[in-house]
Amino acid sequence: MNYTMHSLYSKVSDQAMQNPQVLAALQDKIDSVSHSASIMDSLPKSVKRRVNALKNLQVNSTHIEAKFYKEVHELERKYSALYQPLFDKRRNIVSGEVEPTDEECEWQSDHEDEAALAEDLKKKAAIEEKKEDANEEKPKGVPEFWLTIFRSVDMLSDMLQEHDEPILKHLQDIKVIFSGPDQPMSFTLEFHFEPNEYFTNTVLTKVYKMKSEPDAEDPFSFEGPEIIDCDGCQIDWHKGKDVTVKTIKKKQKHKGRGTARVITKQVPNDSFFNFFNPIKVSPDKELDEDSEYTLATDFEIGHFFRERIVPRAVLYFTGEALEDDENEEDEDDEEEGDSKVSVNLDHN
């Protein structure tokens, strides 16, 4: 099953089908399809021929659109190389490998205009700041940078378990790597860890495979690049440190003797690190509803890492990006509200 970038969120929102308004919208779409078929049936043969020619032009248009998205992918790859030195410096500051200069640390606060402060107040503030610096502990880099982001972003905190947090304290960087020009379209998320007591890997990867071409049987459904599959990686856990499984004890009764014994076995455990062991898509097997929902959510999370978290990490750390996301959601809600009002007015 394929998931376009534009339709990804609707796949995750299958539960919204319980909503009467959503069902009404779906019915409207079905009605519009029926309406389209009835229009074609009512056309004279000569006009129908010309409409078919127009539809062929539309197919050609979708192929041009597909080429456009492929070139966008190439631009993303090109500019990724330009961003990377900045992201490398971000990693070095976060990990404490590099101390930024005083000039690099200057930032005009939104809540305080230094130019408006009297000179004596500035001097007093400087003295107090020195006292605070003398008493303050000197942490290395920006502690728990990525873990703080995981805790703050709902989509990630939903996956986060208490036993994941000590491991994610060792996360130093997340990178997005775009496929090369001669490779099938994909992007890879790389999670870089410092040496730790949990696993031997220094990098955990998740590859999202994509395609950007119209479906031969349904070309008009094309809406841009689709995520069609993803691959995780093997995590080489140290003994007893695998948080994706848990050991349970169970009493087992011997059928013949009637005696009981206690056996232990490992069962799956909720963890963010299950992210690196995704459901596999098989072309020969239809996914059940739960698996389809899980996979759609996985694709949405991968897309969110690529488009939001990695490029704007510091703003998710401070919470500023969360406010922007909420504002965007509010604007979307307002637009939906406006559209409902206009429909009601049309009926009056």
Side-chain angles (χ1 to χ4, degrees):
M1 179 162 288
N2 299 341
Y3 298 87
T4 67
M5 294 298 197
H6 299 287
S7 65
L8 202 50
Y9 297 99
S10 62
K11 289 288 184 183
V12 181
S13 304
D14 285 340
Q15 295 167 342
M17 294 305 292
Q18 306 297 326
N19 187 323
Q21 292 172 334
V22 174
L23 291 171
L26 180 61
Q27 186 61 51
D28 288 344
K29 188 163 187 177
I30 294 171
D31 292 343
S32 70
V33 172
S34 302
H35 179 62
S36 174
S38 64
I39 286 178
M40 287 297 289
D41 291 340
S42 66
L43 293 175
K45 190 175 180 179
S46 59
V47 176
K48 194 181 293 185
R49 259 182 91 254
R50 294 168 197 139
V51 171
N52 286 338
L54 295 178
K55 290 172 76 174
N56 282 323
L57 290 176
Q58 188 64 43
V59 170
N60 292 339
S61 175
T62 61
H63 285 285
I64 293 172
E65 186 180 3
K67 186 177 179 182
F68 164 78
Y69 281 116
K70 287 179 181 177
E71 292 193 15
V72 167
H73 183 77
E74 284 303 303
L75 274 176
E76 285 184 307
R77 189 177 63 83
K78 173 185 173 182
Y79 277 87
S80 176
L82 300 178
Y83 287 127
Q84 198 53 53
L86 302 178
F87 294 157
D88 288 342
K89 189 158 190 177
R90 177 178 72 189
R91 170 187 174 153
N92 292 338
I93 292 173
V94 166
S95 66
E97 294 176 27
V98 167
E99 184 62 34
T101 65
D102 289 343
E103 184 180 355
E104 290 173 326
C105 294
E106 284 183 8
W107 185 261
Q108 179 65 50
S109 171
D110 291 333
H111 307 291
E112 178 180 281
D113 187 354
E114 290 185 11
L117 285 176
E119 191 64 30
D120 58 333
L121 289 178
K122 288 207 296 186
K123 287 178 181 178
K124 287 179 182 178
I127 292 169
E128 290 298 321
E129 191 175 329
K130 284 181 181 178
K131 287 181 182 177
E132 287 177 10
D133 286 347
N135 298 327
E136 187 182 56
E137 290 183 17
K138 299 291 185 183
K140 184 181 178 183
V142 185
E144 301 184 9
F145 180 79
W146 292 102
L147 175 57
T148 300
I149 294 171
F150 272 71
R151 286 172 177 156
S152 303
V153 177
D154 289 343
M155 191 183 298
L156 304 182
S157 64
D158 288 345
M159 298 191 295
L160 189 64
Q161 305 298 319
E162 189 176 345
H163 47 252
D164 295 325
E165 295 197 7
I167 309 174
L168 287 170
K169 288 180 181 180
H170 297 284
L171 180 59
Q172 293 187 312
D173 198 16
I174 305 175
K175 292 182 179 180
V176 179
I177 309 297
F178 293 94
S179 56
D182 299 323
Q183 299 173 323
M185 187 183 290
S186 70
F187 67 92
T188 302
L189 299 177
E190 291 185 349
F191 295 74
H192 291 252
F193 288 83
E194 64 183 353
N196 61 79
E197 62 184 288
Y198 298 96
F199 44 71
T200 60
N201 312 65
T202 55
V203 182
L204 301 180
T205 60
K206 185 77 170 280
V207 180
Y208 287 90
K209 301 174 183 178
M210 306 168 69
K211 77 168 189 175
S212 183
E213 54 191 40
D215 189 293
E217 296 180 2
D218 187 16
F220 301 135
S221 66
F222 180 75
E223 292 183 332
E226 299 172 322
I227 296 177
I228 56 174
D229 198 6
C230 60
D231 290 328
C233 68
Q234 179 179 315
I235 303 178
D236 299 319
W237 296 98
H238 288 301
K239 187 176 181 181
K241 297 293 185 179
D242 186 350
V243 295
T244 65
V245 295
K246 61 183 175 182
T247 302
I248 61 169
K249 293 182 178 180
K250 189 177 180 182
K251 282 188 177 181
Q252 188 178 62
K253 195 171 183 179
H254 193 284
K255 290 183 179 179
R257 301 175 192 164
T259 57
R261 62 172 181 168
V262 177
I263 61 169
T264 60
K265 67 175 185 176
Q266 286 191 330
V267 296
N269 194 28
D270 289 337
S271 169
F272 162 73
F273 291 91
N274 290 320
F275 179 70
F276 299 98
N277 184 27
I279 294 171
K280 292 307 298 175
V281 179
S282 172
D284 306 323
K285 188 178 179 182
E286 190 74 20
L287 292 174
D288 60 42
E289 191 173 323
D290 287 344
S291 297
E292 185 176 326
Y293 178 83
T294 300
L295 196 61
T297 303
D298 188 316
F299 289 174
E300 182 184 6
I301 291 166
H303 184 64
F304 195 77
F305 268 118
R306 164 186 158 167
E307 294 293 321
R308 299 292 189 96
I309 298 294
V310 173
R312 309 177 72 206
V314 67
L315 301 181
Y316 281 98
F317 176 80
T318 62
E320 293 163 86
L322 297 172
E323 294 172 9
D324 291 343
D325 289 347
E326 287 173 4
N327 290 337
E328 285 180 16
E329 288 176 8
D330 290 342
E331 287 175 7
D332 290 341
D333 290 342
E334 287 176 10
E335 287 176 7
E336 287 178 12
D338 291 343
S339 66
K340 288 173 187 172
V341 170
S342 67
V343 170
N344 291 335
L345 289 172
D346 289 340
H347 283 288
N348 288 336

